[in-house]
Amino acid sequence: MGEKTILLDAYNPLELFGVNDVNLEKIKKFFSKLKIIGRGNTLKLTGSETEIKQFEKKFSLILLTYDKFGKITENDISQILESSEEDFNKRNGNNKDVLVYGRNGLLVKARTANQQKMVDALSQNDLIIAIGPAGTGKTYTAVAMAVRALKDKEIKRIVLTRPAVEAGENLGFLPGDLKDKLDPYLQPLYDALRDMLPTQKLLSYLEDGTIEIAPLAFMRGRTLDNVFAILDEAQNATSRQLKMFLTRMGRSAKFVVTGDVTQIDLPKNQSSGLIQAQKVLKNIKGISFIELGKEDIIRHKLVTNIVNAYSNHEENN
């Protein structure tokens, strides 16, 4: 007789085991020779070593399915328990169009030709720089690629950063400590992650540092090995800051820089490092520049009209 305890701190028991433990009861029925006790985020197994090993193999596939799709149904449980691992792999083969299976069955994929260029470019290069107006999905696509790389174990951590430049507002007068002041500014990154990861898993990743969200100044002096790093709002990074970020790249790292050169919030006496990078880095092998345009805007249809109106106004003045 053997015993095994499985900790599920990164999972929501209700989502994993179902309402009234319907999924867990199905698992118990299949492994009738095992005594399985579920309490909160812990599973305790008692039985033969052979049965426990068989349980662990099947249960790992259950967790894999939940991680991939952000949910698991009673039907999923039945298919996993009753099919071989080979059949499971065939049935769950990667859909090349889907970057991430988000929460509640959300399919996160490239929605425009230039977003797809971002995805394709990253498979051939370790650094891509995506430039385009608001609403073109630069950040969202970058975060999706990072989450996919983490799920596929291509990298060990995700680092998301932004230069802490105040766009007409003063963060110093916001209440709370530094984290409280900066979290609202970094909210778009949190929003993207919430679409793509179950709440409990995201909280676990943030707590143990698997996913780190921090202002650009916090990157100084670091080496980022086995990391997928994203610098968002890069138009607000100075030349020195952007150079500092890019030189953090360590072994087996992927870097994505996104920005909109029409929305620079830097003081007038400071130039944007993103504009300079377009000239300085354009001929370096391993770096790919992706230009997104008005045709890539995927927000409300009015956003395209707003961007066009401002572009026309700037051209006429």
Side-chain angles (χ1 to χ4, degrees):
M1 293 289 286
E3 287 189 356
K4 178 79 176 184
T5 299
I6 299 175
L7 297 177
L8 300 165
D9 292 337
Y11 297 90
N12 183 327
L14 179 61
E15 294 178 355
L16 187 61
F17 296 137
V19 178
N20 296 323
D21 286 341
V22 63
N23 293 344
L24 183 58
E25 291 303 319
K26 187 173 285 291
I27 294 170
K28 286 182 178 180
K29 188 175 181 180
F30 186 84
F31 289 98
S32 58
K33 295 181 181 178
L34 281 178
K35 183 180 180 182
I36 303 172
I37 300 175
R39 289 196 181 127
N41 291 81
T42 303
L43 273 184
K44 185 175 181 181
L45 314 174
T46 306
S48 72
E49 295 290 346
T50 301
E51 284 287 321
I52 290 175
K53 286 181 180 178
Q54 289 176 349
F55 176 92
E56 288 180 305
K57 284 183 180 179
K58 289 290 186 182
F59 196 65
S60 69
L61 299 180
I62 290 171
L63 295 182
L64 186 65
T65 301
Y66 179 81
D67 286 339
K68 182 174 182 179
F69 298 104
K71 64 175 184 177
I72 192 160
T73 65
E74 191 176 353
N75 185 54
D76 292 330
I77 298 288
S78 296
Q79 288 187 342
I80 292 168
L81 294 176
E82 295 166 9
S83 63
S84 67
E85 188 170 349
E86 183 180 355
D87 290 337
F88 172 86
N89 291 331
K90 286 179 181 177
R91 190 172 61 249
N92 292 276
N94 289 328
N95 183 334
K96 292 182 180 180
D97 291 335
V98 178
L99 292 172
V100 176
Y101 293 88
R103 295 177 61 187
N104 301 317
L106 175 68
L107 302 182
V108 181
K109 59 176 75 175
R111 294 173 60 183
T112 71
N114 285 323
Q115 287 180 12
Q116 188 59 51
K117 282 184 181 178
M118 287 180 64
V119 177
D120 296 339
L122 195 67
S123 66
Q124 304 295 324
N125 303 274
D126 289 333
L127 168 62
I128 66 170
I129 299 176
I131 301 172
T136 52
K138 306 178 299 295
T139 301
Y140 201 81
T141 302
V143 172
M145 292 191 294
V147 171
R148 182 179 68 172
L150 182 64
K151 286 187 173 185
D152 291 346
K153 296 181 169 49
E154 294 172 6
I155 46 94
K156 292 183 179 178
R157 295 195 304 120
I158 295 173
V159 173
L160 308 176
T161 186
R162 278 182 159 195
V165 174
E166 300 155 359
E169 293 124 7
N170 195 328
L171 293 176
F173 288 97
L174 292 174
D177 58 18
L178 180 61
K179 183 179 184 300
D180 294 328
K181 293 175 190 289
L182 288 169
D183 272 359
Y185 183 74
L186 299 168
Q187 200 62 43
L189 301 174
Y190 287 108
D191 289 343
L193 288 169
R194 288 191 187 101
D195 273 0
M196 301 173 200
L197 290 167
T199 302
Q200 203 70 22
K201 177 70 80 173
L202 175 56
L203 291 174
S204 173
Y205 281 157
L206 291 169
E207 186 175 338
D208 66 15
T210 300
I211 295 178
E212 177 185 354
I213 303 178
L216 181 56
F218 286 26
M219 299 298 110
R220 190 172 299 279
R222 301 174 63 180
T223 300
L224 302 177
D225 292 329
N226 298 300
V227 162
F228 194 118
I230 299 172
L231 171 57
D232 191 35
E233 298 286 341
Q235 75 275 3
N236 290 328
T238 65
S239 298
R240 291 180 63 184
Q241 287 175 325
L242 186 53
K243 178 184 175 184
M244 178 272 291
F245 173 75
L246 295 177
T247 54
R248 302 306 94 202
M249 184 181 285
R251 294 167 298 177
S252 303
K254 291 281 189 180
F255 272 41
V256 177
V257 175
T258 67
D260 176 4
V261 293
T262 68
Q263 296 194 57
I264 298 172
D265 301 312
L266 289 167
K268 290 184 179 180
N269 63 340
Q270 290 184 337
S271 58
S272 170
L274 185 59
I275 291 178
Q276 186 191 61
Q278 289 178 282
K279 303 171 185 176
V280 175
L281 305 177
K282 64 180 180 180
N283 295 321
I284 296 181
K285 187 177 181 180
I287 301 177
S288 178
F289 282 85
I290 309 296
E291 296 280 349
L292 295 98
K294 301 168 198 173
E295 68 276 9
D296 297 297
I297 293 175
I298 54 175
R299 291 181 184 166
H300 193 287
K301 61 183 179 181
L302 277 177
V303 175
T304 301
N305 297 334
I306 291 167
V307 171
N308 286 333
Y310 274 100
S311 295
N312 293 333
H313 176 75
E314 289 168 5
E315 288 172 7
N316 294 331
N317 293 273

